[in-house]
Amino acid sequence: MTTIGVIGGTGGQGLGIATRFVEAGEDVIIGSRTIEKAQAAVEKVKELLPGATNVRAMANPDAAKAANVLVLTVPLAAQKDTLLSIKEGAAGKPLLDATGPLESCIGGSATKYIDLPEGSAAERSQSILPDAKVICAFNNISQTWFMQLGEPIDCDCLICGNDKEAKAIVAPLIEKIPGVKVIDCGALERACIIEKITPLLIGLNIKNRCQFGGIRITGLEKGRAC
């Protein structure tokens, strides 16, 4: 049985992803720096999904050890310290990195991207956790969508990573979230492209006064015209 550990799962994005996986019937652990914060998030999930028994709380290091698949949902400023705290538990496991390297992390605009020396936030995670199987994922789905429970999410999930077997494991899990289709964009070096779509979508949401702007990739199944 797959157990999904949402590392830093107490914020809006992490709570939303965790809730959707619980709703889909997956075994979910919400992790945080303290067990108390994690437990508070679990209680929120249970308020949203009365009767849910497939969600529990742990500190981040324990969640990483207990889960088979990890999802990192922390701000860029907390990325390194959080990853170092789960280094032992994350070894050999798929780690879905949803970190957004946006200028808002350093007091700037959420519509501007921060260029990182490693190339992207996901590549930074891979450099910190060389034994984990890092996959860039969930960057382009608004946290507002995750909290529209019972409603299909109108957005694809663009992913990239270097381990084909890890991507084959996580893609069916992600697609258990109604409406979401996984698009494999290739190697982890493509993460910088995926991550840069996020500030574009945020800007479009601001311009159009909405919170649901997303992205769909079309035509891939149509084949060649000649």
Side-chain angles (χ1 to χ4, degrees):
M1 181 178 182
T2 300
T3 298
I4 300 169
V6 183
I7 307 301
T10 59
Q13 185 184 39
L15 185 65
I17 292 172
T19 303
R20 284 286 187 160
F21 278 131
V22 172
E23 185 182 37
E26 297 300 309
D27 182 43
V28 176
I29 301 172
I30 295 180
S32 185
R33 286 178 297 170
T34 67
I35 187 67
E36 290 79 13
K37 288 186 67 176
Q39 187 59 50
V42 167
E43 294 306 318
K44 290 181 182 178
V45 173
K46 290 184 176 181
E47 288 176 10
L48 294 167
L49 300 171
T53 59
N54 53 322
V55 59
R56 50 204 160 109
M58 291 185 182
N60 283 329
D62 295 326
K65 291 177 182 178
N68 310 110
V69 172
L70 308 179
V71 184
L72 181 69
T73 59
V74 297
L76 181 65
Q79 183 191 30
K80 182 177 181 179
D81 287 346
T82 302
L83 290 173
L84 289 175
S85 76
I86 66 168
K87 189 171 185 177
E88 181 182 352
K93 299 175 182 178
L95 184 145
L96 304 176
D97 189 348
T99 307
L102 307 176
E103 280 194 5
S104 55
C105 298
I106 55 174
S109 171
T111 63
K112 293 183 179 180
Y113 183 85
I114 297 176
D115 288 305
L116 300 175
E118 297 85 356
S120 66
E123 289 171 291
R124 185 176 188 237
S125 289
Q126 189 67 83
S127 69
I128 296 169
L129 299 183
D131 295 327
K133 301 172 182 180
V134 176
I135 298 167
C136 177
F138 290 125
N139 305 77
N140 308 136
I141 303 178
S142 165
Q143 68 181 46
T144 307
W145 259 128
F146 286 117
M147 299 310 292
Q148 303 302 302
L149 301 181
E151 185 176 350
I153 294 176
D154 187 16
C155 187
D156 288 338
C157 183
L158 308 186
I159 70 169
C160 65
N162 295 333
D163 193 297
K164 292 182 180 180
E165 291 184 2
K167 287 190 286 186
I169 290 170
V170 304
L173 286 175
I174 296 171
E175 290 188 341
K176 288 188 176 184
I177 300 173
V180 176
K181 181 179 179 181
V182 172
I183 305 294
D184 185 350
C185 299
L188 194 62
E189 64 183 21
R190 297 287 183 91
C192 62
I193 301 172
I194 294 174
E195 292 173 2
K196 285 180 179 177
I197 295 172
T198 302
L200 172 66
L201 293 175
I202 291 173
L204 288 172
N205 278 330
I206 292 171
K207 180 180 178 180
N208 292 279
R209 298 181 180 180
C210 74
Q211 296 177 306
F212 298 96
I215 187 168
R216 287 287 194 195
I217 305 298
T218 64
L220 296 182
E221 298 174 358
K222 190 172 179 62
R224 297 176 63 90
C226 60

